[in-house]
């Protein structure tokens, strides 16, 4: 409850004041707990470990962002070089030839590929969702007990389970581990957002995959890692921690404009840029790109040897700030009251408490323009940019709900927010994947989301389990019921731990046909 939480926060606050941020970061990370020093973007660019990891690299005498994803088969990457005229053409000439086409193009290019998705929260599941949108069969293998609260395990999955086939497994049971092994043997990609030591304990590290399924791609999302391995590469972290580490929090917190003018963006009070921000989603997108690059490389090499593709929250949180590589933004672009990067390209208040974003010509008197716009309604203010400022760009500033309503009528091909109803009865409203377009046509949702674990019978059947074996797995709770509660087709019953003789069938309330299938599964 809130009063208790406040009291705990006060106790933590007093304790944290006893050591420096760097001391707490080192101590808590050594204990396996996510922790990050909150600092500015400029301090992050100077961070010795970020430089050693090549999250930042020296290119032509300047420090800039390094590679955002990497694959093991590429070996030691060469130093980045400055872009010169004709470099793109040279890169194309040196590229490996594409494999010869053996079949007509598919509507979704990953049709026929299988993904084992062990990821949780947002970044990893977003990657799995995108691979499903591209046509892959994605088995979402969930944990035997919920690892987070309902917001993560239920609400966020309304978006992140789209296109996937969900099964929940109690990995402490031998039978569940056998299911996992069968899934891995069928997989082209094994998707994880785990630290290296976790991969070993789960049997999902590269060496274990080489034994179970040599051709599988290990696609790993991490928190701190860069292109080169360093002492912090296996540190824990979430999106908010990397917001603090990379300078996003100091930029988006409240700011005193006068203090910012004197001291830079670090003068602000740190604040979240959303709990589930662009960092998580960009990391998911970058992981999808890395996985596709590894798959393509595997096919070019003959399709028999897998790979290890990696990206991280640290590199993607840095990538969101790529326009700031040569310096901090101006005071007008930091804090809750930020308006934009320049006085002319910015947010302008208009009548009725609304706003527009406009890109006024540099020759324009921006103070006079702001005074004019403040008396105009949104549509009239946008028309003013069109008519009085030579067709300059201007758009309304909308809330998320307004954007959803605007995009729910099917009138846009590129922004389409639709209602979907899955087989388990879950009704959600989510975006169509119009970010993928083939032959000028955007993709639609591959499959509405299913409740966690609702697809267990179908997944098990695809992995070669008989109906009797499926029932045995359900009764033993090696396969956990839908939403960790009950199977959708019948009320929850306690599991049976051993074969049951016919004489006690009634006592256990097991129908005769189910008992027959159960015996078959146990045998």
């Amino acid at each position: 409850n809130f009063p208790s939480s406040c009291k705990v926060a006060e106790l933590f606050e007093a304790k944290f004041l006893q050591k420096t941020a760097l001391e707490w970061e080192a101590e808590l990370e050594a204990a396996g707990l996510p922790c990050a020093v909150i600092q500015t973007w400029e301090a992050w660019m100077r961070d010795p470990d970020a430089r050693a990891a090549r999250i930042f690299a020296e290119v032509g005498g300047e420090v800039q962002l390094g590679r955002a994803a990497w694959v093991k088969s590429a070996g030691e990457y060469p130093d980045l070089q400055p872009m010169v005229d004709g470099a793109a053409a040279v890169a194309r000439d040196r590229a490996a030839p594409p494999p010869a086409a053996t079949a007509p193009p598919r509507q979704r290019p990953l049709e026929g590929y299988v993904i084992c998705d062990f990821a949780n929260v947002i970044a990893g599941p977003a990657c799995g969702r995108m691979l499903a949108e591209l046509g892959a069969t994605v088995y979402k293998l969930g944990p035997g007990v919920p690892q987070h609260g309902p917001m993560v395990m239920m609400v966020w999955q309304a978006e992140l389970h789209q296109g996937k086939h969900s099964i929940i497994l109690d990995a402490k049971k031998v039978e569940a581990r056998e299911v996992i092994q069968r899934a891995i043997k069928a997989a082209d990609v094994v998707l994880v957002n785990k630290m290296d030591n976790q991969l070993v304990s789960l049997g999902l590290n590269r060496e274990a995959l080489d034994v179970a399924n040599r051709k599988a791609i290990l696609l790993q999302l991490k928190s701190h890692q860069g292109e080169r391995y360093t002492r912090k590469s296996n540190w824990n972290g979430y999106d908010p921690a990397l917001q603090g580490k990379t300078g996003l929090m100091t930029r988006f917190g409240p700011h005193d404009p006068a203090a910012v003018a004197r001291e830079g963006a670090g003068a602000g009070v740190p604040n979240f840029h959303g709990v589930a921000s662009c960092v998580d989603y960009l990391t998911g997108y970058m992981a999808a790109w890395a996985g596709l690059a590894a798959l393509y490389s595997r096919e070019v090499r003959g399709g028999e040897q897998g790979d290890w593709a990696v990206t991280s929250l640290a590199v993607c949180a840095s990538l969101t700030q790529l326009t700031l590589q040569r310096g901090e933004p101006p005071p007008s672009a930091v804090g809750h009251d930020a308006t934009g990067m320049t006085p002319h390209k910015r947010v302008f208040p208009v009548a009725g408490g609304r706003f527009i974003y406009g890109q006024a010509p540099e020759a324009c008197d921006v103070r006079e323009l702001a005074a004019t716009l403040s008396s105009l309604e949104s549509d009239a203010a946008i028309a003013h940019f069109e008519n009085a400022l030579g067709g300059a760009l201007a758009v309304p500033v909308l809330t998320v709900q307004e954007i959803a309503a605007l995009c729910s009528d099917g009138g846009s091909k590129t922004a389409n927010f639709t209602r979907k109803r899955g087989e388990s009865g879950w009704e959600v409203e989510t975006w169509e994947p119009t970010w993928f377009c083939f032959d000028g046509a955007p993709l639609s949702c591959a499959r509405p989301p299913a409740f966690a674990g609702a697809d267990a019978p179908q997944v098990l059947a695809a992995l070669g389990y008989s109906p009797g074996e499926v029932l045995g797995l359900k009764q033993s709770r090696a396969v956990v019921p839908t939403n960790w509660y009950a199977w959708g087709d019948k009320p929850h019953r306690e599991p049976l731990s051993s074969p049951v003789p016919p004489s006690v069938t009634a006592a256990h309330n097991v129908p005769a046909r189910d008992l027959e299938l159960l015996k078959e599964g146990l045998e």
Side-chain angles (χ1 to χ4, degrees):
N1 60 61
F2 186 72
S4 297
S5 297
C6 290
K7 181 61 178 177
V8 171
E10 291 172 0
L11 295 172
F12 270 114
E13 181 181 27
K15 190 69 175 177
F16 280 133
L17 289 173
Q18 297 175 11
K19 297 180 183 180
T20 67
L22 284 171
E23 288 172 332
W24 279 119
E25 182 184 59
E27 184 172 328
L28 292 176
E29 283 288 353
L33 299 173
C35 183
V37 170
I38 295 176
Q39 59 189 357
T40 65
W41 167 249
E42 288 185 335
W44 171 237
M45 288 189 70
R46 296 192 302 268
D47 185 285
D49 194 83
R51 294 285 187 91
R54 281 195 170 181
I55 295 173
F56 296 102
E58 188 169 306
V59 182
E62 291 187 352
V63 175
Q64 66 177 51
L65 291 170
R67 293 179 174 90
W70 43 97
V71 293
K72 185 177 181 180
S73 63
E76 179 73 13
Y77 282 93
D79 292 339
L80 291 169
Q81 300 297 323
M83 185 70 173
V84 296
D85 291 341
V90 171
R92 283 195 298 271
D93 290 342
R94 292 178 179 174
T102 57
R106 304 182 181 101
Q107 182 180 5
R108 297 179 188 264
L110 291 187
E111 289 176 3
Y113 289 88
V114 175
I115 316 296
C116 282
D117 181 355
F118 291 93
N120 61 8
V121 192
I122 289 182
C127 172
R129 189 208 69 225
M130 294 184 72
L131 298 176
E133 289 162 354
L134 287 170
T137 297
V138 179
Y139 297 140
K140 172 61 181 170
L141 295 94
V145 294
Q147 296 173 319
H148 297 274
M151 177 62 73
V152 176
M153 303 305 293
M154 293 294 296
V155 178
W156 290 356
Q157 289 185 3
E159 176 206 358
L160 299 169
H161 267 200
Q162 292 181 104
K164 301 180 183 180
H165 304 267
S166 177
I167 181 172
I168 305 174
L169 297 163
D170 181 358
K172 294 180 180 179
K173 296 182 181 294
V174 174
E175 302 92 336
R177 293 197 293 273
E178 171 59 29
V179 175
I180 291 172
Q181 286 301 307
R182 285 202 195 187
I184 289 173
K185 289 177 182 177
D188 293 283
V189 175
V190 176
L191 170 62
V192 291
N193 61 332
K194 311 294 183 188
M195 300 298 101
D196 298 337
N197 54 306
Q198 292 175 307
L199 294 186
V200 173
S201 65
L202 293 169
L204 298 175
N205 54 309
R206 183 65 258 175
E207 292 77 11
L209 290 183
D210 283 338
V211 175
N213 181 0
R214 186 168 173 264
K215 70 180 181 65
I217 305 295
L218 174 58
L219 179 51
Q220 185 181 15
L221 295 82
K222 298 186 71 176
S223 55
H224 288 77
Q225 188 168 332
E227 175 193 322
R228 287 183 173 172
Y229 209 88
T230 67
R231 68 181 183 88
K232 296 183 180 180
S233 290
N234 204 43
W235 276 18
N236 291 283
Y238 290 97
D239 177 322
L242 273 300
Q243 288 183 43
K245 187 78 170 178
T246 62
L248 283 169
M249 281 189 178
T250 56
R251 181 168 301 112
F252 284 94
H255 283 71
D256 174 0
V260 173
R262 293 192 308 270
E263 305 170 32
V269 178
N271 202 1
F272 286 127
H273 177 48
V275 174
S277 78
C278 56
V279 175
D280 258 334
Y281 281 99
L282 181 57
T283 306
Y285 301 156
M286 191 56 62
W289 178 82
L292 291 171
L295 273 175
Y296 183 84
S297 175
R298 186 190 75 177
E299 299 305 311
V300 169
R301 290 182 279 110
E304 295 303 319
Q305 177 59 54
D307 214 328
W308 187 356
V310 186
T311 189
S312 75
L313 294 169
V315 298
C316 293
S318 304
L319 191 59
T320 66
Q321 304 172 83
L322 62 91
T323 61
L324 305 176
Q325 295 178 87
R326 294 188 176 181
E328 289 282 354
S332 63
V334 295
H336 287 173
D337 299 319
T339 56
M341 290 294 286
T342 75
H344 291 79
K345 297 178 180 180
R346 51 170 281 197
V347 171
F348 293 92
V350 296
R354 306 290 298 193
F355 295 86
I356 66 168
Y357 171 78
Q359 295 186 350
E362 293 295 325
C364 171
D365 186 326
V366 73
R367 290 188 179 182
E368 182 180 326
L369 173 62
T372 300
L373 295 175
S374 66
S375 63
L376 300 177
E377 298 292 335
S378 181
D379 289 346
I382 292 172
H384 182 78
F385 273 77
E386 175 68 27
N387 300 324
L389 299 177
L393 173 69
V395 295
V397 175
L398 303 174
T399 67
V400 172
Q401 289 184 336
E402 287 172 332
I403 293 172
L406 184 66
C407 299
S408 296
D409 59 5
S412 171
K413 293 182 68 174
T414 57
N416 196 353
F417 195 71
T418 61
R419 186 181 296 268
K420 307 171 181 71
R421 185 179 180 86
E423 295 176 6
S424 56
W426 199 5
E427 191 170 278
V428 302
E429 290 183 274
T430 56
W431 295 104
E432 291 288 272
T434 53
W435 34 85
F436 290 126
C437 228
F438 295 94
D439 295 329
L443 290 179
S444 60
C445 176
R447 184 175 186 259
F451 286 132
D455 302 309
Q458 296 88 342
V459 173
L460 292 169
L463 295 176
Y465 285 91
S466 70
E469 290 172 323
V470 171
L471 182 60
L473 288 167
K474 292 167 70 173
Q475 292 285 3
S476 70
R477 298 279 291 212
V479 176
V480 180
T482 303
N483 288 337
W484 299 272
Y485 175 65
W487 298 109
D489 58 344
K490 60 187 67 176
H492 171 65
R493 292 195 300 267
E494 289 301 314
L496 303 177
S497 58
S498 60
V500 182
S503 60
V504 298
T505 300
H508 284 268
N509 193 31
V510 182
R513 174 58 180 160
D514 280 6
L515 180 62
E516 183 179 330
L517 291 173
L518 175 59
K519 287 180 177 178
E520 177 192 337
L522 290 170
E523 289 169 0

